[in-house]
Amino acid sequence: MTGLRPGRWRPDHLQMNETPATARLRRAVRAVILADDDRVLLCRFSFPHPAVPTGATVVWAAPGGGIEPGELPLAALRRELHEETGLVIDADPPHVWHQEVAAPGHADGYDGVVNDYFLVRTTRFDPRGALSDDDLAAEHISGMRWWRHGDIAQYSGTDLFSPRDIATPLAALIAGDIPGTPVMLGL
């Protein structure tokens, strides 16, 4: 199993049907930012961020963050990208991946997370958002890096990726396979 699974996601819902109605899930949006050289921009989240499991020190994940109460997902995506990377997007990017992780402790005060990923194609840039270094550190972001797909697929170090098998769905996006409905991702 590659970590991809068929889902019961519907475009008018941001949660999968099998999630218990009583679960408190933190809703977030993330951008798979692919540059013209097919590198992907990932943020380095350091411990003690909730996404960094016990025993690990770093998780590389797509930029983005929580949806504020009353905020629409694409508005949250635009805000988060501006804050973290400085990237401003005008067009509505395609919604390509959906991830639910129901695990107490994975997000402070929640039973888990729901991450919706949108594909953003751009020319490669030096990420520098509106947040100061101290603000980024408060969010446990300790760096950003443009990764080649092959470097992710062959990585054997101690850092983790979110999702863990990001290389498989990322390869499809790089090949131009933009799904009509979001691909369901595992942890």
Side-chain angles (χ1 to χ4, degrees), residues 48-62:
H49 190 275
V52 182
T54 303
T57 57
V58 171
V59 171
W60 290 93

Side-chain angles (χ1 to χ4, degrees), residues 65-90:
I67 300 171
E68 301 293 333
E71 189 175 37
L72 295 173
L74 288 176
L77 183 71
R78 286 182 173 86
R79 176 182 51 76
E80 289 286 342
L81 289 180
H82 173 70
E83 289 175 357
E84 293 178 0
T85 70
L87 185 62
V88 175
I89 56 171
D90 296 322

Side-chain angles (χ1 to χ4, degrees), residues 9 12-16 27 67 73 95 98 100 114 116:
W9 185 87
D12 59 336
H13 289 234
L14 287 180
Q15 299 180 18
M16 292 171 38
R27 292 182 51 224
I67 300 171
H95 184 187
H98 179 83
E100 286 194 25
V114 174
D116 285 293

Side-chain angles (χ1 to χ4, degrees), residues 25-45:
L25 301 175
R26 179 180 183 264
R27 292 182 51 224
V29 288
R30 303 208 166 273
V32 180
I33 301 174
L34 281 179
D36 43 11
D37 62 359
D38 288 333
R39 291 178 189 243
V40 63
L41 181 64
L42 298 177
C43 295
R44 183 180 191 265
F45 289 92

Side-chain angles (χ1 to χ4, degrees), residues 30-157:
R30 303 208 166 273
V32 180
I33 301 174
L34 281 179
D36 43 11
D37 62 359
D38 288 333
R39 291 178 189 243
V40 63
L41 181 64
L42 298 177
C43 295
R44 183 180 191 265
F45 289 92
S46 300
F47 184 79
H49 190 275
V52 182
T54 303
T57 57
V58 171
V59 171
W60 290 93
I67 300 171
E68 301 293 333
E71 189 175 37
L72 295 173
L74 288 176
L77 183 71
R78 286 182 173 86
R79 176 182 51 76
E80 289 286 342
L81 289 180
H82 173 70
E83 289 175 357
E84 293 178 0
T85 70
L87 185 62
V88 175
I89 56 171
D90 296 322
D92 291 347
H95 184 187
V96 293
W97 303 341
H98 179 83
Q99 177 189 45
E100 286 194 25
V101 178
H106 194 73
D108 289 336
Y110 293 91
D111 299 316
V113 296
V114 174
N115 287 313
D116 285 293
Y117 293 81
F118 297 82
L119 176 62
V120 176
R121 285 293 231 168
T122 186
T123 55
R124 198 158 152 193
F125 64 97
D126 184 22
R128 183 65 199 165
L131 295 179
S132 69
D133 290 343
D134 289 340
D135 291 336
L136 288 173
E139 294 190 13
H140 306 287
I141 297 175
S142 57
M144 293 187 197
R145 175 179 166 189
W146 289 100
W147 286 81
R148 289 183 322 132
H149 174 265
D151 293 338
I152 294 171
Q154 297 171 4
Y155 184 79
S156 62

